Amino acid sequence: MIDEKNIGSSLEDFLKEEGRLEDARQVAAKRVLAWQLQQAMESQHLNKVKMAKRMQTSRSQLDRLLDPDNDKVQLDTLNRAAAIVGKRLKIELIDSPR
């Protein structure tokens, strides 16, 4: 039987009710960053070995950065990777809806 309280509600509403909205946003943000970084690497013909060397880090560290499911990444690592592919990281605080 369908739970009628969820009919017409959005995924965001559902995640908020379940207490999982912020986790979902964090995972989504990391997946987008990893994808954008991989796209930039591909467009510049940078493989993981070259990228890791330019970042002065290990290939395994780069793999963690590019892993969309690994959300334990430091801002300085993201900034360094972005700079190498000619990008910059933009992070901002925005008001939450009340």
Side-chain angles (χ1 to χ4, degrees):
M1 181 164 182
I2 297 175
D3 186 358
E4 293 193 20
K5 74 175 186 169
N6 290 328
I7 293 177
S9 66
S10 69
L11 177 59
E12 188 171 313
D13 291 338
F14 171 74
L15 291 171
K16 188 182 285 186
E17 286 177 17
E18 296 292 315
R20 298 175 54 194
L21 181 59
E22 288 309 312
D23 288 340
R25 285 183 175 155
Q26 183 175 337
V27 169
K30 176 52 172 45
R31 285 178 183 251
V32 168
L33 286 170
W35 180 81
Q36 288 177 326
L37 189 54
Q38 286 179 322
Q39 293 299 304
M41 288 171 58
E42 286 176 18
S43 73
Q44 296 178 27
H45 307 289
L46 280 174
N47 63 28
K48 289 181 180 180
V49 172
K50 288 180 186 175
M51 182 69 173
K53 188 173 183 174
R54 289 184 184 180
M55 287 179 65
Q56 298 178 339
T57 191
S58 66
R59 163 90 190 266
S60 60
Q61 177 67 23
L62 179 59
D63 284 337
R64 284 190 289 276
L65 177 63
L66 296 174
D67 179 356
D69 296 319
N70 184 344
D71 61 354
K72 307 296 185 239
V73 178
Q74 294 182 321
L75 288 177
D76 65 327
T77 303
L78 282 171
N79 275 316
R80 213 170 47 237
I84 288 168
V85 295
K87 307 286 184 184
R88 66 182 180 87
L89 189 62
K90 178 182 177 183
I91 299 174
E92 61 184 331
L93 295 176
I94 59 173
D95 293 330
S96 293
R98 296 194 181 236

XYZ file of all heavy atoms in Angstrom:
786
model
N 0.843 -1.181 0.000
C 0.000 0.000 0.000
C 0.889 1.245 0.000
O 1.902 1.308 0.667
C -0.887 -0.023 1.243
C -1.804 1.144 1.328
S -3.093 0.813 2.513
C -3.983 2.288 2.320
N 0.509 2.250 -0.740
C 1.272 3.494 -0.856
C 0.964 4.392 0.332
O -0.186 4.572 0.706
C 0.924 4.215 -2.169
C 1.333 3.362 -3.361
C 1.572 5.584 -2.226
C 0.919 3.948 -4.691
N 2.037 4.942 0.913
C 1.877 5.888 2.021
C 1.461 7.236 1.432
O 2.241 7.908 0.766
C 3.202 6.012 2.779
C 3.088 6.860 4.026
O 1.998 7.390 4.298
O 4.104 6.984 4.728
N 0.223 7.622 1.645
C -0.331 8.809 0.997
C 0.298 10.119 1.460
O 0.212 11.124 0.773
C -1.846 8.849 1.172
C -2.500 7.723 0.413
C -3.996 7.891 0.295
O -4.484 9.021 0.456
O -4.653 6.883 0.025
N 0.975 10.145 2.603
C 1.585 11.397 3.053
C 2.745 11.811 2.156
O 3.135 12.961 2.138
C 2.040 11.303 4.505
C 3.288 10.469 4.717
C 3.743 10.518 6.154
C 5.067 9.789 6.289
N 5.692 9.984 7.546
N 3.321 10.870 1.383
C 4.448 11.185 0.513
C 4.045 11.475 -0.919
O 4.870 11.852 -1.731
C 5.472 10.052 0.539
C 6.185 9.979 1.871
O 6.398 10.990 2.519
N 6.524 8.786 2.295
N 2.782 11.301 -1.251
C 2.333 11.585 -2.609
C 2.444 13.084 -2.859
O 1.936 13.899 -2.098
C 0.901 11.085 -2.842
C 0.882 9.556 -2.787
C 0.355 11.593 -4.167
C -0.478 8.946 -2.932
N 3.135 13.420 -3.941
C 3.290 14.821 -4.301
C 4.433 15.527 -3.595
O 4.721 16.667 -3.882
N 5.088 14.858 -2.664
C 6.212 15.505 -1.981
C 7.470 15.351 -2.831
O 7.566 14.477 -3.679
C 6.420 14.906 -0.590
O 6.825 13.564 -0.681
N 8.443 16.200 -2.583
C 9.685 16.147 -3.344
C 10.686 15.227 -2.644
O 10.520 14.886 -1.470
C 10.282 17.549 -3.469
O 10.742 17.994 -2.203
N 11.707 14.863 -3.389
C 12.779 14.060 -2.811
C 13.425 14.826 -1.660
O 13.739 14.250 -0.617
C 13.815 13.700 -3.870
C 15.036 12.925 -3.386
C 14.626 11.598 -2.750
C 16.016 12.702 -4.523
N 13.592 16.131 -1.839
C 14.185 16.956 -0.787
C 13.335 16.909 0.484
O 13.860 16.782 1.584
C 14.346 18.393 -1.266
C 15.134 19.253 -0.303
C 15.474 20.602 -0.882
O 15.947 20.685 -2.024
O 15.277 21.594 -0.156
N 12.020 17.004 0.325
C 11.130 16.908 1.483
C 11.267 15.561 2.173
O 11.315 15.468 3.393
C 9.664 17.118 1.072
C 9.364 18.539 0.637
O 10.125 19.458 1.019
O 8.374 18.724 -0.093
N 11.323 14.502 1.371
C 11.451 13.158 1.918
C 12.757 13.009 2.701
O 12.772 12.506 3.828
C 11.394 12.117 0.799
C 11.720 10.722 1.256
C 10.804 9.989 2.000
C 12.948 10.146 0.953
C 11.105 8.704 2.435
C 13.260 8.873 1.376
C 12.335 8.145 2.118
N 13.866 13.455 2.096
C 15.163 13.343 2.768
C 15.190 14.168 4.052
O 15.788 13.756 5.043
C 16.289 13.770 1.825
C 16.555 12.825 0.657
C 17.534 13.456 -0.324
C 17.075 11.485 1.143
N 14.552 15.323 4.026
C 14.485 16.163 5.225
C 13.722 15.436 6.332
O 14.152 15.410 7.478
C 13.808 17.489 4.903
C 13.878 18.498 6.043
C 13.153 19.778 5.699
C 13.964 20.590 4.728
N 13.360 21.919 4.457
N 12.590 14.833 5.981
C 11.799 14.081 6.967
C 12.584 12.915 7.554
O 12.440 12.595 8.734
C 10.520 13.537 6.316
C 9.455 14.565 6.058
C 8.246 13.984 5.343
O 8.084 12.756 5.336
O 7.468 14.773 4.786
N 13.402 12.301 6.732
C 14.202 11.161 7.171
C 15.474 11.585 7.902
O 16.221 10.748 8.399
C 14.585 10.287 5.969
C 13.411 9.643 5.275
C 12.744 8.584 6.131
O 13.459 7.765 6.725
O 11.495 8.591 6.214
N 15.756 12.894 7.923
C 16.972 13.385 8.576
C 18.227 13.101 7.782
O 19.316 13.023 8.349
N 18.103 12.974 6.458
C 19.241 12.604 5.625
C 19.564 13.639 4.549
O 20.406 13.406 3.694
C 18.965 11.249 4.975
C 18.792 10.148 6.014
C 18.404 8.830 5.423
N 19.332 8.431 4.396
C 19.088 7.459 3.536
N 17.964 6.799 3.574
N 19.975 7.136 2.612
N 18.928 14.794 4.612
C 19.104 15.797 3.569
C 20.539 16.306 3.499
O 21.132 16.380 2.417
C 18.137 16.961 3.768
C 18.195 18.066 2.720
C 17.912 17.512 1.333
C 17.223 19.180 3.067
N 21.124 16.658 4.614
C 22.490 17.197 4.596
C 23.498 16.154 4.136
O 24.440 16.482 3.412
C 22.865 17.773 5.961
C 22.146 19.067 6.277
C 22.252 20.118 5.179
O 23.361 20.371 4.680
O 21.213 20.681 4.804
N 23.307 14.902 4.543
C 24.197 13.839 4.066
C 24.099 13.698 2.549
O 25.113 13.553 1.867
C 23.845 12.499 4.718
C 24.229 12.441 6.184
O 25.083 13.248 6.619
O 23.679 11.581 6.895
N 22.885 13.756 2.027
C 22.681 13.641 0.580
C 23.336 14.802 -0.146
O 23.948 14.620 -1.205
C 21.193 13.570 0.265
N 23.219 15.999 0.402
C 23.852 17.166 -0.224
C 25.370 17.035 -0.234
O 26.029 17.400 -1.207
C 23.444 18.440 0.500
C 22.040 18.884 0.186
C 21.710 20.182 0.873
N 20.400 20.647 0.449
C 19.645 21.439 1.155
N 20.062 21.888 2.330
N 18.469 21.822 0.708
N 25.930 16.531 0.851
C 27.378 16.361 0.944
C 27.868 15.339 -0.077
O 28.864 15.570 -0.769
C 27.755 15.923 2.365
C 29.234 15.793 2.586
C 29.549 15.472 4.043
O 28.770 15.752 4.934
N 30.688 14.879 4.267
N 27.175 14.231 -0.186
C 27.553 13.199 -1.155
C 27.430 13.746 -2.571
O 28.316 13.548 -3.407
C 26.689 11.928 -0.975
C 26.869 10.963 -2.131
C 27.019 11.245 0.345
N 26.355 14.462 -2.847
C 26.153 15.030 -4.185
C 27.259 16.024 -4.535
O 27.787 16.006 -5.653
C 24.789 15.701 -4.269
N 27.627 16.868 -3.591
C 28.683 17.855 -3.838
C 30.004 17.166 -4.149
O 30.723 17.554 -5.082
C 28.833 18.787 -2.636
N 30.353 16.135 -3.394
C 31.615 15.426 -3.626
C 31.593 14.727 -4.974
O 32.573 14.725 -5.710
C 31.872 14.413 -2.499
C 33.113 13.554 -2.697
C 34.364 14.384 -2.982
C 35.662 13.662 -3.008
N 35.880 12.459 -3.655
N 30.458 14.136 -5.335
C 30.361 13.465 -6.635
C 30.536 14.465 -7.780
O 31.220 14.177 -8.758
C 29.033 12.739 -6.766
C 28.980 11.478 -5.951
C 27.627 10.797 -6.045
N 27.621 9.638 -5.193
C 27.637 8.392 -5.634
N 27.639 8.151 -6.914
N 27.651 7.393 -4.785
N 29.948 15.631 -7.649
C 30.081 16.655 -8.691
C 31.531 17.121 -8.788
O 32.083 17.242 -9.886
C 29.133 17.842 -8.424
C 29.461 19.029 -9.316
C 27.684 17.417 -8.621
N 32.169 17.377 -7.653
C 33.569 17.814 -7.674
C 34.477 16.762 -8.300
O 35.353 17.088 -9.105
C 34.047 18.148 -6.259
C 33.537 19.449 -5.673
C 33.889 19.537 -4.188
C 34.094 20.632 -6.426
N 34.288 15.509 -7.934
C 35.105 14.430 -8.489
C 34.895 14.341 -10.003
O 35.865 14.214 -10.768
C 34.760 13.104 -7.820
N 33.651 14.442 -10.444
C 33.346 14.369 -11.879
C 33.967 15.551 -12.622
O 34.573 15.379 -13.681
C 31.834 14.338 -12.081
C 31.448 14.270 -13.521
C 31.421 13.155 -14.321
C 31.066 15.368 -14.349
N 31.029 13.510 -15.593
C 30.793 14.864 -15.644
C 30.907 16.729 -14.120
C 30.397 15.672 -16.693
C 30.500 17.533 -15.174
C 30.245 17.008 -16.442
N 33.827 16.759 -12.067
C 34.386 17.946 -12.714
C 35.904 17.851 -12.829
O 36.489 18.215 -13.856
C 33.997 19.207 -11.957
C 32.546 19.581 -12.106
C 32.170 20.802 -11.271
O 32.694 21.009 -10.182
N 31.258 21.599 -11.792
N 36.534 17.366 -11.789
C 37.985 17.221 -11.804
C 38.413 16.188 -12.851
O 39.353 16.422 -13.620
C 38.492 16.833 -10.413
C 39.985 16.836 -10.196
C 40.603 18.179 -10.585
C 40.301 16.533 -8.746
N 37.709 15.067 -12.919
C 38.032 14.049 -13.927
C 37.838 14.596 -15.336
O 38.653 14.328 -16.219
C 37.186 12.798 -13.723
C 37.645 11.986 -12.535
C 36.796 10.754 -12.311
O 35.579 10.779 -12.483
N 37.438 9.676 -11.921
N 36.774 15.367 -15.555
C 36.528 15.960 -16.875
C 37.650 16.920 -17.257
O 38.118 16.925 -18.396
C 35.176 16.681 -16.888
C 33.985 15.766 -16.745
C 33.892 14.763 -17.864
O 33.852 15.133 -19.030
N 33.867 13.494 -17.524
N 38.085 17.730 -16.302
C 39.179 18.671 -16.569
C 40.476 17.928 -16.867
O 41.225 18.326 -17.775
C 39.361 19.612 -15.382
N 40.729 16.867 -16.137
C 41.928 16.056 -16.398
C 41.875 15.465 -17.802
O 42.870 15.507 -18.537
C 42.070 14.948 -15.352
C 42.484 15.420 -13.981
S 42.375 14.107 -12.727
C 43.474 12.852 -13.415
N 40.731 14.919 -18.178
C 40.596 14.317 -19.508
C 40.778 15.358 -20.609
O 41.448 15.090 -21.609
C 39.229 13.648 -19.646
C 39.120 12.348 -18.885
C 37.731 11.741 -18.950
O 36.931 12.126 -19.847
O 37.441 10.883 -18.105
N 40.206 16.528 -20.426
C 40.312 17.554 -21.469
C 41.747 18.029 -21.649
O 42.110 18.515 -22.723
C 39.389 18.732 -21.169
O 39.891 19.499 -20.101
N 42.554 17.886 -20.608
C 43.957 18.293 -20.678
C 44.892 17.106 -20.863
O 46.108 17.242 -20.746
C 44.323 19.079 -19.415
C 43.540 20.362 -19.312
C 43.856 21.137 -18.051
O 44.953 21.035 -17.494
N 42.908 21.928 -17.594
N 44.315 15.948 -21.121
C 45.075 14.712 -21.345
C 46.022 14.399 -20.186
O 47.172 14.018 -20.382
C 45.851 14.781 -22.667
C 44.975 15.143 -23.824
N 44.033 14.274 -24.350
C 44.862 16.284 -24.546
C 43.398 14.857 -25.340
N 43.872 16.088 -25.485
N 45.515 14.599 -18.979
C 46.286 14.287 -17.771
C 45.815 12.946 -17.221
O 44.647 12.808 -16.855
C 46.052 15.345 -16.690
C 46.791 16.658 -16.784
C 46.311 17.616 -15.712
C 48.279 16.430 -16.648
N 46.715 11.986 -17.165
C 46.340 10.737 -16.508
C 46.603 10.870 -15.013
O 47.131 11.876 -14.539
C 47.068 9.540 -17.131
C 48.572 9.614 -16.961
O 49.084 10.210 -16.011
N 49.293 9.020 -17.895
N 46.222 9.863 -14.264
C 46.344 9.943 -12.802
C 47.789 10.042 -12.340
O 48.079 10.740 -11.368
C 45.659 8.740 -12.152
C 44.152 8.787 -12.261
C 43.538 7.578 -11.587
C 42.036 7.587 -11.686
N 41.447 6.409 -11.019
N 48.687 9.394 -13.033
C 50.104 9.445 -12.641
C 50.646 10.866 -12.807
O 51.285 11.408 -11.896
C 50.938 8.433 -13.466
C 52.422 8.610 -13.199
C 50.505 7.007 -13.166
N 50.356 11.490 -13.952
C 50.818 12.866 -14.182
C 50.179 13.835 -13.192
O 50.844 14.728 -12.666
C 50.481 13.313 -15.609
C 51.312 12.680 -16.676
C 50.877 13.210 -18.037
C 51.581 12.507 -19.168
N 51.077 12.949 -20.482
N 48.886 13.648 -12.960
C 48.168 14.544 -12.045
C 48.731 14.435 -10.640
O 48.984 15.444 -9.977
C 46.674 14.213 -12.064
C 45.833 15.104 -11.199
S 45.730 16.777 -11.845
C 44.518 17.459 -10.739
N 48.935 13.214 -10.169
C 49.483 13.012 -8.824
C 50.875 13.636 -8.711
O 51.197 14.268 -7.700
C 49.529 11.530 -8.487
N 51.669 13.480 -9.747
C 53.015 14.053 -9.732
C 52.952 15.577 -9.642
O 53.674 16.185 -8.853
C 53.785 13.617 -10.977
C 55.231 13.999 -10.959
C 55.975 13.403 -12.135
C 57.443 13.759 -12.036
N 58.239 13.100 -13.070
N 52.065 16.193 -10.429
C 51.932 17.649 -10.385
C 51.391 18.127 -9.039
O 51.713 19.222 -8.590
C 51.025 18.141 -11.508
C 51.664 18.019 -12.865
C 50.803 18.595 -13.945
N 51.401 18.374 -15.249
C 50.863 18.771 -16.378
N 49.710 19.436 -16.379
N 51.451 18.533 -17.511
N 50.561 17.317 -8.409
C 50.026 17.673 -7.092
C 51.033 17.387 -5.979
O 50.807 17.741 -4.844
C 48.742 16.881 -6.803
C 47.545 17.325 -7.594
S 46.084 16.330 -7.208
C 45.815 16.778 -5.478
N 52.108 16.722 -6.317
C 53.120 16.288 -5.349
C 52.484 15.411 -4.269
O 52.663 15.612 -3.070
C 53.848 17.485 -4.738
C 54.589 18.293 -5.772
C 55.281 19.504 -5.197
O 54.936 20.002 -4.129
N 56.268 19.996 -5.917
N 51.723 14.436 -4.756
C 51.055 13.496 -3.858
C 51.122 12.111 -4.475
O 51.658 11.919 -5.565
C 49.596 13.937 -3.589
O 49.076 13.161 -2.528
C 48.716 13.779 -4.821
N 50.572 11.156 -3.789
C 50.584 9.779 -4.280
C 49.377 9.520 -5.181
O 48.361 10.223 -5.121
C 50.551 8.803 -3.106
O 49.318 8.902 -2.428
N 49.493 8.495 -5.975
C 48.374 8.093 -6.831
C 47.192 7.658 -5.972
O 46.037 7.934 -6.293
C 48.850 6.976 -7.756
C 47.784 6.169 -8.427
C 47.383 6.754 -9.768
N 46.211 6.084 -10.274
C 46.225 5.060 -11.091
N 47.368 4.566 -11.520
N 45.101 4.523 -11.520
N 47.464 6.993 -4.837
C 46.366 6.542 -3.971
C 45.629 7.740 -3.359
O 44.406 7.706 -3.200
C 46.858 5.593 -2.884
O 47.805 6.219 -2.064
N 46.351 8.813 -3.044
C 45.700 10.028 -2.537
C 44.813 10.641 -3.613
O 43.693 11.082 -3.338
C 46.744 11.046 -2.061
C 46.160 12.360 -1.594
C 45.331 12.249 -0.326
O 45.494 11.337 0.463
N 44.403 13.174 -0.154
N 45.291 10.661 -4.846
C 44.487 11.172 -5.953
C 43.256 10.289 -6.177
O 42.161 10.793 -6.426
C 45.315 11.266 -7.232
C 44.565 11.779 -8.459
C 44.004 13.179 -8.223
C 45.462 11.744 -9.682
N 43.430 8.988 -6.062
C 42.288 8.079 -6.196
C 41.213 8.389 -5.155
O 40.025 8.356 -5.463
C 42.724 6.615 -6.066
C 43.407 6.090 -7.318
O 43.176 6.664 -8.409
O 44.162 5.109 -7.202
N 41.627 8.690 -3.931
C 40.655 9.056 -2.895
C 39.941 10.356 -3.257
O 38.739 10.506 -3.049
C 41.337 9.177 -1.527
C 41.662 7.833 -0.891
C 42.118 7.988 0.553
N 43.447 8.579 0.659
C 44.583 7.909 0.567
N 44.573 6.618 0.353
N 45.730 8.525 0.684
N 40.682 11.303 -3.814
C 40.096 12.572 -4.224
C 39.072 12.362 -5.336
O 38.006 12.979 -5.339
C 41.194 13.523 -4.704
C 40.767 14.876 -5.234
C 40.077 15.695 -4.161
C 41.962 15.627 -5.786
N 39.370 11.480 -6.269
C 38.488 11.229 -7.405
C 37.373 10.240 -7.097
O 36.464 10.066 -7.903
C 39.302 10.730 -8.601
C 40.319 11.721 -9.168
C 41.152 11.057 -10.255
C 39.636 12.966 -9.686
N 37.430 9.598 -5.956
C 36.402 8.633 -5.563
C 35.145 9.394 -5.139
O 35.148 10.087 -4.124
C 36.908 7.769 -4.410
C 35.899 6.760 -3.916
O 34.750 6.738 -4.403
O 36.260 5.973 -3.019
N 34.049 9.273 -5.903
C 32.848 10.051 -5.565
C 32.220 9.654 -4.235
O 31.461 10.427 -3.659
C 31.900 9.764 -6.728
C 32.418 8.549 -7.380
C 33.881 8.464 -7.081
N 32.555 8.485 -3.725
C 31.976 8.037 -2.460
C 32.830 8.387 -1.245
O 32.407 8.197 -0.120
C 31.738 6.522 -2.499
C 30.714 6.149 -3.551
O 29.705 6.881 -3.669
O 30.918 5.154 -4.256
N 34.024 8.887 -1.465
C 34.910 9.253 -0.363
C 34.754 10.750 -0.106
O 35.235 11.573 -0.866
C 36.363 8.918 -0.702
C 37.298 9.187 0.446
O 36.963 9.883 1.396
N 38.486 8.631 0.361
N 34.079 11.087 0.990
C 33.838 12.504 1.288
C 34.829 13.062 2.300
O 34.656 14.151 2.813
C 32.405 12.723 1.771
C 32.086 11.967 3.050
O 32.927 11.180 3.509
O 30.982 12.165 3.586
N 35.889 12.343 2.568
C 36.907 12.792 3.520
C 38.087 13.388 2.756
O 39.145 12.808 2.628
C 37.395 11.625 4.391
C 36.286 10.858 5.085
C 35.557 11.734 6.072
C 34.534 10.946 6.837
N 33.176 11.409 6.706
N 37.870 14.579 2.209
C 38.884 15.251 1.414
C 39.134 16.629 2.016
O 38.188 17.324 2.391
C 38.416 15.396 -0.053
C 39.438 16.149 -0.875
C 38.138 14.034 -0.655
N 40.388 17.018 2.084
C 40.732 18.312 2.663
C 40.644 19.414 1.610
O 40.897 19.193 0.426
C 42.137 18.273 3.244
C 42.253 17.342 4.443
C 43.639 17.370 5.034
O 44.623 17.430 4.311
N 43.711 17.349 6.350
N 40.282 20.599 2.066
C 40.141 21.728 1.153
C 41.440 22.065 0.440
O 41.426 22.406 -0.740
C 39.639 22.962 1.914
C 38.187 22.923 2.352
C 37.842 24.177 3.146
C 37.261 22.781 1.170
N 42.560 21.957 1.125
C 43.821 22.287 0.462
C 44.121 21.311 -0.672
O 44.665 21.696 -1.701
C 44.977 22.371 1.459
C 45.301 21.054 2.136
O 44.382 20.249 2.363
O 46.484 20.835 2.463
N 43.729 20.062 -0.517
C 43.915 19.076 -1.582
C 43.034 19.420 -2.776
O 43.483 19.381 -3.924
C 43.581 17.656 -1.065
O 44.394 17.375 0.077
C 43.816 16.618 -2.136
N 41.783 19.773 -2.523
C 40.891 20.179 -3.603
C 41.403 21.429 -4.307
O 41.371 21.519 -5.538
C 39.481 20.438 -3.059
C 38.630 19.218 -2.768
C 37.359 19.628 -2.030
C 38.286 18.483 -4.043
N 41.868 22.399 -3.535
C 42.408 23.627 -4.120
C 43.620 23.355 -5.002
O 43.757 23.920 -6.089
C 42.779 24.630 -3.028
C 41.612 25.463 -2.573
O 40.840 25.937 -3.393
N 41.477 25.641 -1.284
N 44.505 22.492 -4.533
C 45.707 22.153 -5.300
C 45.334 21.466 -6.607
O 45.856 21.803 -7.668
C 46.608 21.254 -4.444
C 48.060 21.452 -4.682
C 48.966 20.767 -3.695
N 48.633 19.386 -3.432
C 48.373 18.882 -2.224
N 48.423 19.645 -1.161
N 48.081 17.618 -2.064
N 44.404 20.517 -6.543
C 43.968 19.803 -7.746
C 43.304 20.758 -8.726
O 43.565 20.710 -9.932
C 43.016 18.671 -7.371
N 42.451 21.634 -8.218
C 41.767 22.598 -9.082
C 42.770 23.498 -9.792
O 42.649 23.753 -10.997
C 40.783 23.426 -8.258
N 43.748 23.980 -9.065
C 44.749 24.880 -9.645
C 45.524 24.198 -10.769
O 45.815 24.825 -11.793
C 45.700 25.383 -8.563
N 45.816 22.938 -10.602
C 46.593 22.217 -11.607
C 45.843 22.100 -12.925
O 46.442 22.138 -14.002
C 47.022 20.837 -11.066
C 48.112 21.061 -10.007
C 47.506 19.912 -12.170
C 48.440 19.868 -9.182
N 44.527 21.996 -12.864
C 43.736 21.901 -14.097
C 43.180 23.263 -14.517
O 42.287 23.355 -15.349
C 42.604 20.848 -13.983
C 43.183 19.459 -13.822
C 41.639 21.176 -12.856
N 43.725 24.332 -13.931
C 43.347 25.683 -14.330
C 41.996 26.140 -13.803
O 41.347 27.003 -14.387
N 41.592 25.587 -12.693
C 40.309 25.936 -12.084
C 40.563 26.488 -10.686
O 41.674 26.461 -10.179
C 39.400 24.706 -11.964
C 39.185 23.944 -13.240
C 38.263 24.668 -14.160
C 37.988 23.825 -15.403
N 37.191 24.511 -16.370
N 39.503 26.987 -10.072
C 39.584 27.365 -8.670
C 38.342 26.839 -7.977
O 37.291 26.665 -8.588
C 39.736 28.866 -8.480
C 38.564 29.684 -8.899
C 38.846 31.179 -8.700
N 37.712 31.962 -9.109
C 36.678 32.256 -8.313
N 36.662 31.862 -7.061
N 35.667 32.969 -8.770
N 38.483 26.574 -6.721
C 37.393 26.047 -5.907
C 36.603 27.212 -5.340
O 37.179 28.172 -4.837
C 37.981 25.201 -4.774
C 37.026 24.396 -3.925
C 36.299 23.365 -4.761
C 37.798 23.706 -2.804
N 35.285 27.148 -5.436
C 34.431 28.192 -4.887
C 33.502 27.546 -3.867
O 32.702 26.683 -4.200
C 33.610 28.859 -5.980
C 32.673 29.927 -5.459
C 31.851 30.526 -6.581
C 30.872 31.533 -6.025
N 30.006 32.072 -7.085
N 33.618 27.991 -2.634
C 32.767 27.500 -1.554
C 32.116 28.715 -0.922
O 32.772 29.724 -0.689
C 33.580 26.726 -0.502
C 34.245 25.520 -1.149
C 32.707 26.299 0.664
C 35.175 24.768 -0.246
N 30.828 28.620 -0.666
C 30.149 29.758 -0.061
C 29.118 29.282 0.945
O 28.623 28.167 0.864
C 29.477 30.619 -1.133
C 28.423 29.906 -1.923
C 27.847 30.761 -3.041
O 27.832 31.996 -2.899
O 27.427 30.187 -4.045
N 28.831 30.135 1.884
C 27.766 29.887 2.836
C 26.505 30.574 2.330
O 26.559 31.742 1.936
C 28.113 30.437 4.224
C 29.284 29.783 4.938
C 29.544 30.513 6.264
C 28.990 28.325 5.212
N 25.417 29.851 2.324
C 24.151 30.436 1.895
C 23.116 30.227 2.999
O 23.237 29.312 3.805
C 23.661 29.839 0.558
C 23.479 28.323 0.672
C 24.620 30.178 -0.563
C 22.842 27.688 -0.532
N 22.136 31.088 3.024
C 21.092 30.979 4.032
C 20.250 29.743 3.806
O 19.934 29.413 2.663
C 20.181 32.215 4.019
C 20.901 33.463 4.475
O 21.838 33.338 5.298
O 20.537 34.564 4.024
N 19.901 29.083 4.870
C 19.003 27.942 4.790
C 17.573 28.441 4.819
O 17.270 29.406 5.504
C 19.209 27.010 5.987
O 20.454 26.407 5.934
N 16.708 27.760 4.065
C 15.297 28.156 4.163
C 14.764 27.843 5.541
O 15.155 26.864 6.156
C 14.609 27.305 3.088
C 15.567 26.235 2.741
C 16.927 26.679 3.160
N 13.906 28.662 6.022
C 13.387 28.454 7.374
C 12.115 27.688 7.370
O 11.345 27.592 6.579
C 13.185 29.790 8.056
C 14.528 30.447 8.215
C 14.469 31.598 9.161
N 15.804 32.136 9.209
C 16.482 32.265 10.313
N 15.982 31.917 11.451
N 17.676 32.770 10.301
